[in-house]
Amino acid sequence: MSQDNTGKPKRGLKRPIEVVRAELLKDPETKKIAEAVSMKLEDYVELVLKYAQDKDKEAEVAVISDEELRRNGFNPLSSEEAANILIKGMKGELPGSPPDFEASKFTQDKASTAGKPSLTAPPVGGAAPTGPQDPAARQELMDQLKKGSSGGNRP
């Protein structure tokens, strides 16, 4: 018994394509990206699915002259405009790009950390602990530190 699966298997979607298509069509981020790349939402979703179904598929790049772009109704970007777009993309400022960490709306649930020690939590009452306020108790602690004693009731 031999299997006819000698070629490299396609790596693709693990869920039904109809489900993924419906999710993409409803997703507001997908709509923003489609608008940003000047594509109809349906066409953009089909393009995404084409690459999602075959992870080994290489992106297609076409180099077109500025004159040909103008003939087809596109205004080509200057080098400076293209550089600004790349910089915005790296900063997460383009529609559909991952948000910048500093701009994240992430907040840690305070209830889950209540009563637990934290190295970053602000001190209670806004002031850092300073040790015993009683001068005698403070001096006793300092003496124990100098002697190397743990301060316990050991002989």
Side-chain angles (χ1 to χ4, degrees):
M1 273 196 228
S2 69
Q3 291 185 348
D4 223 13
N5 198 7
T6 56
K8 197 159 109 177
K10 279 190 173 183
R11 299 178 309 126
L13 297 172
K14 294 185 179 16
R15 298 183 299 148
I17 192 168
E18 298 81 19
V19 173
V20 177
R21 180 181 288 116
E23 289 174 358
L24 287 171
L25 288 169
K26 286 192 304 188
D27 183 39
E29 289 299 313
T30 304
K31 290 176 186 175
K32 287 180 190 176
I33 296 169
E35 288 172 10
V37 296
S38 304
M39 289 181 76
K40 287 191 240 173
L41 176 62
E42 294 77 14
D43 293 341
Y44 177 72
V45 167
E46 291 307 314
L47 183 63
V48 168
L49 290 172
K50 176 179 161 182
Y51 287 96
Q53 289 175 336
D54 186 359
K55 301 284 186 190
D56 296 323
K57 186 169 186 61
E58 295 286 327
E60 298 171 18
V61 178
V63 178
I64 301 172
S65 69
D66 288 354
E67 295 79 33
E68 191 173 343
L69 284 172
R70 284 188 191 96
R71 277 195 305 266
N72 289 317
F74 294 98
N75 188 18
L77 298 175
S78 69
S79 298
E80 189 173 312
E81 290 170 322
N84 286 335
I85 289 173
L86 290 174
I87 291 168
K88 282 183 175 184
M90 289 186 286
K91 289 181 176 180
E93 296 172 354
L94 292 178
S97 61
D100 190 18
F101 179 75
E102 297 299 323
S104 172
K105 307 255 186 308
F106 175 78
T107 56
Q108 197 169 14
D109 183 13
K110 301 292 181 198
S112 67
T113 58
K116 296 179 182 174
S118 170
L119 295 175
T120 59
V124 178
T130 58
Q133 298 301 313
D134 178 31
R138 182 174 178 84
Q139 187 58 48
E140 184 181 341
L141 284 174
M142 293 304 286
D143 291 342
Q144 288 175 2
L145 283 173
K146 288 177 188 172
K147 293 178 190 175
S149 171
S150 66
N153 292 332
R154 290 186 278 167

